[in-house]
Amino acid sequence: AIDQAEDLNSDDYVDFDDVTEALRAAKAITKANSQAEITAAAEALEDAIDALVRKSNLTALEKALADARALDPELYVDFSAVTAAINAAANYNVATPQADVDAAVTAINNAVSALVLKDFSALEAAIERAEDLDADDYVDFSDVTEALRAAKAITKANSQTEITAAAKALTDAIEDLVEKDFSALEAAIAREDALNPELYVDYSGVTKALGVAKAITKANSQDEITAAAKALNDAIDALQKKSDLS
């Protein structure tokens, strides 16, 4: 029993005090002691050795915890399983049974492996699409402007639901855009271009309306575009031919 005890490394066990004490008592036995005392000392030392609990190996657990804690929870759709696995093993030590330590390592690694990154791809695509548009091309760009502002305010701290919703709102706003309509204005200008001013008594109203019409750009509102087309058409319609006076 003494040889067995002395071959042991106390650092390998959670608590070696009982063995140390039993070993001291066993070594104190001499031939002066009775057989009963010798036997009792041997049994006490053997019992202390049998009761030893080997320290658990925490290397894998420490690595799993370090790797998990190094992750940014905000990058993932749901980090709760990893958090729970970390918390469950946070107080494990060398006295924790090795089976429990190994189970904790598996739980942490499985939770990490199951993580799903938040998906910003649809949001990024919607933002890029919106930024490629020219607001002046559309009747009302305000909904896109507001949805784009909200989309750009989204960060990794937002939930996947919020990210997806922002992408959809911006995409919907883009899809609802109505392009400004220059067709009536262009038709009015073409109509005037086919006229001969010398044939009319007073062409000044048309000339003035034409100047306004040709000054219209995509920066103008749809109301202004429509008004310019109407004004030019009205001026043309009001023309009086010189031949009508003879």
Side-chain angles (χ1 to χ4, degrees), residues 14-33:
V14 175
D15 185 352
F16 204 76
D17 290 348
D18 288 346
V19 173
T20 299
E21 179 57 28
L23 179 60
R24 184 198 61 75
K27 284 186 172 182
I29 294 292
T30 67
K31 62 183 181 179
N33 289 92

Side-chain angles (χ1 to χ4, degrees), residues 1-2 4-5 16-27 29 36-52:
I2 291 173
Q4 183 183 0
F16 204 76
D17 290 348
D18 288 346
V19 173
T20 299
E21 179 57 28
L23 179 60
R24 184 198 61 75
K27 284 186 172 182
I29 294 292
E37 292 170 332
I38 296 169
T39 300
E43 290 177 348
L45 182 53
E46 289 171 354
D47 289 344
I49 292 171
D50 290 341
L52 285 172

